[in-house]
């Protein structure tokens, strides 16, 4: 069998308007398994297009495969409005990231991929409205934290059934290690360190049919949290004391696998251990999303446990001076500056900050004194103060912060001074629970409630997601709770609904 000539293949691709034929060896390899077993996905809609994603799997040769793609204006794929061919490169795990351009704004499209005789499922996606468009409504869901072993992804099936315009996934898409109780299924292999490890972990998670359905239902925007790399890492510092150079190799492998498995634009392709994923996305005049990365550039964790170099801790605030150092940053100075200038340029009615951790202060010491967990924004109080002060001073319109990480529904007022009941409410915060990952018992959270009066709801009993509808006059958030994650077909109900009225910061129970 002749070896596949990649250079000739690329020349053919560039020259041909028809798709190049597959080499014989590639066709043989493809016959054993559906190469589209990991599904399809789309992301980052703008008025003229979006990103389309798939990854070929199953006994592939280490050569590039030409993958054809089609975008149609109908679900039956009869009216094809854009098409082409892209190389599934073995250096990028045979993933494909396509960015069709010139589509019409503010409408739904359907797409699929083909390689050899194999055809993928049809995914549904859409473009965003034009920047100047007056938009009546935006519906989106946000979610995070989907430990594969700890449950089934029924929440994703419900997200797909909701058919939102957009999904925002806020981190812990995969977990690097096994933990928790009552596993319904198992990771293959132990903790992930190498590119091979991370690729296999993503392939396992992405084999789930409910997760695939949610990806096929609408475009996603994504950010990561710690578990896509390593628990509690901060910039170049892991929790386990691994030397910096070695950890950066691990981070590079993790970031590459993340890129390979997400519908991310070409501009986000990683370079070694660096990958810029913070970005903004507009939805007409109605809303603007600011997608943040609070892992890659953050200052090291303050006051780690005495026997460790990194990782989070829960500290009495009077015992950790470092916590309050003004130079400590959650986003890094460059991203902070970018966020400030982007917010000040926004002309949108609603400004949605989509990020991975909880922002509201959360005192974990009942009664006098305060204990703070250093991995969330409580570990970076000066940076939180800078952001909230900026929102207030610049009168940013309707700021709403979305978060994840803690595996409970948290609904909160964001204030300049959480210890002062009279301090103004600057923004609204909604933290989604987890898709599956386990949480602290509700009884434990209840002991902290009276020390955190700015929290309107704190509920760790359910796994699920948050469904949001934004109109010019208000934002509505339904907290969607799964009855169980131990069966695939468990029911979902709305635990509570909150609204934020235009011009009035702070969630109100509907
Ligand atoms: Fe998590």
């Amino acid at each position: 069998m002749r070896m596949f000539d990649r250079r000739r293949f690329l020349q053919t691709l560039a020259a041909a308007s028809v798709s190049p034929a597959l080499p014989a060896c590639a066709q043989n390899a493809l016959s054993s398994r559906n190469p589209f077993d990991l599904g399809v996905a789309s992301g980052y809609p703008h008025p003229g297009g979006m990103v389309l994603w798939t990854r070929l799997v199953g006994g592939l040769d280490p050569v590039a495969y030409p993958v054809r793609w089609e975008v149609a204006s109908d679900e039956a794929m009869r009216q094809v409005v854009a098409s082409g061919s892209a190389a599934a490169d073995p250096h990028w795990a045979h993933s494909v990231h396509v960015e069709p351009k010139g589509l019409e704004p503010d409408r739904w499209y359907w797409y699929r991929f083909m390689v050899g005789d194999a055809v993928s499922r049809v995914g549904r996606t859409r473009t965003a409205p034009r920047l100047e468009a007056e938009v009546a409504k935006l519906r989106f869901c946000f979610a995070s934290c989907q430990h594969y072993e700890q449950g089934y992804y029924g929440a994703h099936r419900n997200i797909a059934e909701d058919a939102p315009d957009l999904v925002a996934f806020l981190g812990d898409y995969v977990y690097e290690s096994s933990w928790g109780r009552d596993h319904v299924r198992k990771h293959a292999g132990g903790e992930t360190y190498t590119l091979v490890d991370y690729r296999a972990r993503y392939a396992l998670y992405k084999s789930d049919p409910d997760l695939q359905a949610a990806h096929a239902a609408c475009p996603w925007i994504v950010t990561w949290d710690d578990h896509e790399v390593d628990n509690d890492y901060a910039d170049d510092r892991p929790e386990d004391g691994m030397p910096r150079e070695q950890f950066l190799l691990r981070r590079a492998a993790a970031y590459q696998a993340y890129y390979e498995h997400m519908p991310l634009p070409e501009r986000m392709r990683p370079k070694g251990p660096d990958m810029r994923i913070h970005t903004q996305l507009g939805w007409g005049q109605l809303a603007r999303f600011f997608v943040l990365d609070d892992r890659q550039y953050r200052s090291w964790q303050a006051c780690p446990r005495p026997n460790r170099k990194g990782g989070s801790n829960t500290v009495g605030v009077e015992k950790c001076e470092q916590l309050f150092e003004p130079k400590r940053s959650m986003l890094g100075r460059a991203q902070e500056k970018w966020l400030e200038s982007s917010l000040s340029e926004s002309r949108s009615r609603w400004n949605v900050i989509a990020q991975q951790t909880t922002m509201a202060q959360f005192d974990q010491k009942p009664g006098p004194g305060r204990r703070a967990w250093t991995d969330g924004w409580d570990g970076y109080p000066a940076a939180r103060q800078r952001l909230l002060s900026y929102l207030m001073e610049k009168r940013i319109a309707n700021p709403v912060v979305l978060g994840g990480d803690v595996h409970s529904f948290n609904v909160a007022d964001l204030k300049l001074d959480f210890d002062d009941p009279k301090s103004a409410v600057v923004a609204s915060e909604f933290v989604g629970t987890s898709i599956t990952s386990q949480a602290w018992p509700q009884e434990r959270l209840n002991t902290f409630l009276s020390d955190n009066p700015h929290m309107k709801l704190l509920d760790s009993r359910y796994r699920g997601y948050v469904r949001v509808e934004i109109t010019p006059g208000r934002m509505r958030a339904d907290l969607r709770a799964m009855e169980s994650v131990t069966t695939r077909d468990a029911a979902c109900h709305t635990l509570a609904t909150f609204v934020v009225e235009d011009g009035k910061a702070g969630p109100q129970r509907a």
Side-chain angles (χ1 to χ4, degrees), residues 47-313:
M50 73 295 287
V51 181
L52 308 178
W53 172 93
T54 193
R55 178 194 161 193
L56 305 184
V57 289
L60 302 176
D61 291 318
V63 298
Y65 288 77
V67 177
R68 286 163 286 142
W69 57 271
E70 290 179 345
V71 177
S73 57
D74 64 312
E75 192 171 1
M77 301 296 299
R78 289 201 187 89
Q79 303 293 323
V80 173
V81 296
S83 63
S85 185
D89 186 333
H91 298 107
W92 296 91
H94 293 103
S95 61
V96 176
H97 298 77
V98 169
E99 296 181 49
K101 305 224 163 49
L103 302 178
E104 289 173 32
D106 198 15
R107 60 152 296 164
W108 289 97
Y109 286 98
W110 288 262
Y111 64 97
R112 66 181 174 187
F113 298 93
M114 287 150 285
V115 62
D117 296 331
V119 184
S120 76
R121 75 186 288 168
V122 173
R124 195 172 87 118
T125 190
R126 60 165 302 151
T127 50
R130 282 202 183 92
L131 196 59
E132 66 278 11
E134 285 183 28
V135 178
K137 191 188 285 185
L138 163 66
R139 295 171 61 246
F140 70 93
C141 296
F142 71 92
S144 61
C145 301
Q146 50 188 20
H147 201 290
Y148 182 82
E149 298 179 314
Q150 294 175 14
Y152 293 113
Y153 295 162
H156 278 304
R157 189 184 67 252
N158 282 273
I159 289 174
E161 286 166 8
D162 288 339
D165 294 305
L166 197 70
V167 167
F169 198 88
L170 305 180
D172 292 354
Y173 188 97
V174 296
Y175 280 76
E176 85 286 19
S177 65
S178 177
W179 57 277
R181 57 191 186 277
D182 305 329
H183 289 173
V184 301
R185 46 191 180 178
K186 286 290 182 187
H187 283 163
E191 183 158 346
T192 49
Y193 291 96
T194 67
L195 184 54
V196 171
D197 297 340
Y198 285 108
R199 281 173 172 168
R201 188 58 46 88
Y202 279 96
L204 177 67
Y205 278 54
K206 283 189 157 286
S207 67
D208 185 277
D210 293 322
L211 176 57
Q212 290 188 8
H215 274 298
C218 69
W220 286 35
I221 53 177
V222 297
T223 187
W224 50 39
D225 196 20
D226 52 343
H227 291 288
E228 283 89 347
V229 181
D230 179 36
N231 182 48
D232 283 350
Y233 82 97
D235 184 2
D236 57 358
R237 177 161 285 207
E239 68 165 352
D240 64 1
M242 179 187 268
R244 177 177 184 271
E245 290 68 30
Q246 208 180 333
F247 178 68
L248 286 178
L249 289 173
R250 183 183 186 184
R251 196 177 95 175
Y255 284 5
Q256 177 167 345
Y258 187 79
Y259 180 81
E260 289 169 348
H261 292 85
M262 293 292 158
L264 296 169
E266 172 63 32
R267 67 173 193 274
M268 293 185 185
R269 190 182 291 268
K271 294 178 184 69
D274 303 317
M275 180 170 164
R276 180 182 161 156
I277 62 166
H278 60 277
T279 191
Q280 55 177 314
L281 183 137
W283 208 266
Q285 293 185 14
L286 181 64
R288 179 158 286 267
F289 290 86
F290 303 88
V291 184
L292 306 188
D293 174 358
D294 80 13
R295 282 287 157 197
Q296 188 174 184
Y297 315 106
R298 63 158 73 185
S299 309
W300 292 343
Q301 303 259 2
C303 306
R305 273 162 284 175
N307 53 342
R308 312 211 86 166
K309 280 190 177 162
S312 67
N313 196 359

Side-chain angles (χ1 to χ4, degrees), residues 307-321:
N307 53 342
R308 312 211 86 166
K309 280 190 177 162
S312 67
N313 196 359
T314 307
V315 295
V317 296
E318 67 286 348
K319 293 206 184 83
C320 180
E321 259 177 57

